[in-house]
Amino acid sequence: LLRATSAQNNFIECITSQFQASNSSQNVIYTPRNNAASYSSIYQSFLGNLRFLSTSPQRPLAIITPTNESEIQATIHCSRKHGTQIKVRSGGHDYEGLSYISQTPFAVVDMRNLRTISIDTRGNTAWIQTGATLGEVYYTIAETSRTLAFPAGVCPTVGVGGHFSGGGYGMISRKHGIAVDNIIDAIIINADGQISNRDSMGEDLFWAIRGGGGTSFGIVVAFKVNLVTIPETVIVFNVSRTLEQNATQIVHKWQYISDKIDENLLLRLFISSVRSPAASNGNRTIQASFTSLFLGRVEDLLPIMEQKFPELGLVEQDCIEMSWIESTLFFAGFPNGTSLNVLLNRTQQNSRTNSEHGLQGIWNYLNEEDENRAQLQFSPYGGALSTVSKSETPFPHRSGNIFMIHYGVTWTTDSPRHINWIRRLYSYMAPFVSKSPRAAYFNYRDLDIGRNNIEGNTSYRQASVWGFKYFETNFNRLVRVKTKVDPSNFFRNEQSVPPLSSN
Ligand code: FDA
């Protein structure tokens, strides 16, 4: 406690005097002492996973919500001087809470005030500050044009900072790739407080920050992206089939076609256990929902489905025509007719999460959990994702990968049984998924696959355990970049890329 108190005092004094010297407002510094109520509410406002409220041993010494780059530089300066770890938070959706919890004294740089989005319709590009949410990005693009879009994630409250840093997969990714495939410039502040863009940071660092994960290399203030062209209207559908409606055979077939089908079509699959009067056991059944987007017209979609995936039995009545921006609401689960303004709401719903024969085993697992609490999301690869080589960006899941699976369970009353359940399911899946290494998507962060030492002196060998799962051999290049740009490992967390010098 004593250590934390003196660290807090020194750090806060340093920040305060730095801000005074540069005429910055003290109002963007929140501490438990100077403004306890605002500190708490700002801390909790982007707290995606309530599990960490009870399990996190430390609260941040301060939360700084910078309004310009010099306030970030001042924070970095004081953190280095007083050995305070920095956690950067954009949308706060990190699955392991790494943007707002820590085992050691730390401060949060919360990017919420840096969220300007400037669109250039002549070049079809946009500069997006990392404190923006995906909803704000989509809303702003749609205000400007009906035929421009950006390929990134489905949940509107996800932050640009973490999401773009780790990949960024969404409903038009089979046609236009993931977010990082469309980034063309960035502004980053390094551990020495230097600000650089693509030209001045060099191609190695620019490569690393497009998928190599947030935190490791510096604080990204903004990304410049190419916007993509889409039709004025798109088709969406959400067709569900239960076991009694042949779900097992349909899901089985989906695995063979979802990454090869027309790249304008993305068939995302959600599987959960639901209550149904028609269930063969009279109570619960498994439901497979095919939540899909087609960049084209119904007359083009139906023949594709009839030829490649007739088992689903898609008919015209299932298909809904809408604009791309309306489709972002559809996939985020908002009812038809919801105002686009909900995309500007930055607060996420928080919760506590973490061969046909093989499918039968998954069904059994899903039936063990409470109804509608556990869900598997299957997101197909292929299309544009496969046209980029594995080493083009740190995100390596390119040609040859069929789909990724997101395992999720939510609960309201704490009990170890849910985490045990998801760990058992994860082990059960081992024979059916990629091996050596068993791959993982960085944005679906999972500390179970390996973590760094709390003190920050993690060896290359130790970090390789999780690093190769996320990045395959790209991990080696990430380590080389880290060694060059941040040899003292100032920017670090439980799964940041270590420099070689820390061996
Ligand atoms: P957060 O602020 O927690 O940051 C995540 C990580 O990035 C932390 O380590 C943080 O320190 C670092 N970071 C943040 N801002 C930074 C900056 N400016 N500079 C440097 N480092 C920074 N993924 C996907 O691909 N497609 C999807 O559809 C979804 N959907 C989805 C829904 C929901 C409800 C959740 C909780 C998550 C997803 N995700 C997802 C995963 C999501 O992409 C991932 O959690 C991102 O890291 C979240 O970014 P945030 O900025 O919100 O998180």
Side-chain angles (χ1 to χ4, degrees):
L1 183 68
L2 270 178
R3 198 172 140 226
T5 308
S6 76
Q8 174 170 22
N9 287 342
N10 295 340
F11 175 74
I12 308 290
E13 271 168 28
C14 178
I15 287 273
T16 311
S17 65
Q18 289 273 324
F19 273 47
Q20 256 160 12
S22 59
N23 283 331
S24 288
S25 164
Q26 304 284 329
N27 294 343
V28 299
I29 306 172
Y30 299 83
T31 72
R33 287 205 203 136
N34 72 359
N35 38 16
S38 330
Y39 167 88
S40 274
S41 87
I42 211 150
Y43 183 60
Q44 290 182 25
S45 59
F46 288 174
L47 201 69
N49 194 326
L50 294 178
R51 179 156 66 100
F52 303 120
L53 258 188
S54 48
T55 55
S56 168
Q58 304 259 348
R59 288 280 179 275
L61 302 177
I63 303 169
I64 293 100
T65 56
T67 54
N68 57 48
E69 288 155 348
S70 72
E71 291 169 1
I72 299 178
Q73 291 170 309
T75 310
I76 291 175
H77 168 81
C78 295
S79 304
R80 280 194 92 156
K81 194 165 169 194
H82 298 290
T84 307
Q85 191 184 7
I86 286 191
K87 294 272 182 164
V88 191
R89 179 166 72 173
S90 287
H93 280 56
D94 191 291
Y95 279 112
E96 296 280 7
L98 299 193
S99 55
Y100 52 86
I101 59 167
S102 180
Q103 306 291 318
T104 55
F106 73 112
V108 171
V109 174
D110 184 313
M111 302 295 283
R112 67 183 66 200
N113 288 328
L114 291 168
R115 59 173 201 268
T116 304
I117 301 161
S118 318
I119 297 186
D120 171 6
T121 45
R122 273 180 308 173
N124 288 351
T125 58
W127 269 108
I128 305 172
Q129 286 190 314
T130 49
T133 61
L134 298 184
E136 289 168 340
V137 173
Y138 298 157
Y139 183 95
T140 312
I141 296 172
E143 262 191 328
T144 316
S145 160
R146 272 182 78 89
T147 53
L148 289 177
F150 189 70
V154 172
C155 172
T157 53
V158 163
V160 165
H163 186 69
F164 285 21
S165 298
Y169 177 97
M171 292 306 294
I172 55 174
S173 284
R174 295 197 65 251
K175 174 73 175 181
H176 293 291
I178 53 175
V180 296
D181 297 334
N182 297 282
I183 294 176
I184 52 173
D185 204 341
I187 306 284
I188 188 169
I189 306 186
N190 71 12
D192 295 321
Q194 284 162 349
I195 303 175
S196 37
N197 63 10
R198 179 175 183 168
D199 274 350
S200 47
M201 79 178 82
E203 282 304 301
D204 261 351
L205 178 54
F206 183 62
W207 173 85
I209 59 173
R210 285 175 297 145
T215 294
S216 295
F217 306 99
I219 299 184
V220 180
V221 180
F223 287 107
K224 183 178 185 184
V225 300
N226 272 330
L227 301 176
V228 302
T229 309
I230 37 122
E232 277 204 20
T233 56
V234 304
I235 303 299
V236 302
F237 61 89
N238 186 14
V239 172
S240 297
R241 299 285 183 256
T242 60
L243 292 186
E244 294 69 30
Q245 296 166 317
N246 243 359
T248 305
Q249 291 72 23
I250 299 173
V251 170
H252 182 69
K253 175 72 182 286
W254 176 90
Q255 299 176 84
Y256 290 92
I257 56 98
S258 60
D259 65 315
K260 298 175 194 71
I261 208 159
D262 189 309
E263 65 180 13
N264 289 298
L265 178 58
L266 194 146
L267 295 157
R268 211 170 185 202
L269 167 59
F270 293 77
I271 303 178
S272 55
S273 168
V274 296
R275 195 169 288 276
S276 160
S280 49
N281 65 8
N283 188 6
R284 299 258 297 263
T285 187
I286 297 297
Q287 179 172 280
S289 300
F290 296 85
T291 305
S292 311
L293 179 141
F294 181 62
L295 291 165
R297 296 170 311 171
V298 179
E299 2 357 336
D300 300 321
L301 169 63
L302 291 175
I304 295 171
M305 290 296 285
E306 185 49 40
Q307 198 196 354
K308 304 284 184 197
F309 199 20
E311 295 80 358
L312 186 63
L314 185 78
V315 293
E316 190 171 348
Q317 291 70 24
D318 296 323
C319 302
I320 313 169
E321 193 178 275
M322 56 178 66
S323 63
W324 165 75
I325 193 67
E326 287 162 347
S327 81
T328 65
L329 294 183
F330 177 84
F331 294 117
F334 292 105
N336 205 357
T338 304
S339 157
L340 293 181
N341 289 333
V342 296
L343 292 171
L344 303 177
N345 179 356
R346 294 169 61 85
T347 317
Q348 69 166 309
Q349 291 287 335
N350 43 31
S351 55
R352 290 158 214 259
T353 60
N354 214 353
S355 74
E356 290 187 26
H357 168 70
L359 291 174
Q360 187 54 54
I362 301 179
W363 305 165
N364 296 341
Y365 271 96
L366 287 169
N367 279 329
E368 269 184 43
E369 264 294 343
D370 302 337
E371 73 186 84
N372 286 322
R373 285 285 178 191
Q375 187 188 61
L376 299 186
Q377 285 174 26
F378 292 65
S379 302
Y381 289 130
L385 282 148
S386 297
T387 60
V388 174
S389 80
K390 266 181 188 304
S391 58
E392 182 89 15
T393 70
F395 177 95
H397 317 294
R398 304 290 182 170
S399 179
N401 288 281
I402 306 173
F403 56 86
M404 63 174 154
I405 310 175
H406 172 292
Y407 307 78
V409 60
T410 58
W411 62 91
T412 46
T413 313
D414 272 331
S415 154
R417 105 180 146 86
H418 305 288
I419 293 191
N420 291 340
W421 174 85
I422 210 160
R423 286 183 175 144
R424 283 192 292 115
L425 171 61
Y426 188 78
S427 314
Y428 167 78
M429 293 295 287
F432 308 110
V433 297
S434 56
K435 294 175 188 60
S436 309
R438 180 172 179 176
Y441 171 36
F442 185 86
N443 272 349
Y444 292 170
R445 173 151 10 235
D446 181 3
L447 290 181
D448 277 7
I449 67 171
R451 63 170 77 201
N452 297 340
N453 298 334
I454 293 169
E455 299 77 26
N457 57 347
T458 304
S459 68
Y460 165 79
R461 183 193 282 265
Q462 185 182 340
S464 302
V465 173
W466 57 263
F468 274 75
K469 291 175 183 158
Y470 286 138
F471 305 116
E472 299 184 11
T473 51
N474 290 333
F475 184 65
N476 291 330
R477 185 170 174 195
L478 290 171
V479 171
R480 285 200 298 275
V481 177
K482 173 75 176 182
T483 309
K484 200 160 95 187
V485 303
D486 184 21
S488 69
N489 205 16
F490 172 72
F491 288 112
R492 63 177 188 280
N493 68 20
E494 293 77 345
Q495 273 183 348
S496 56
V497 176
L500 273 179
S501 52
S502 69
N503 268 330

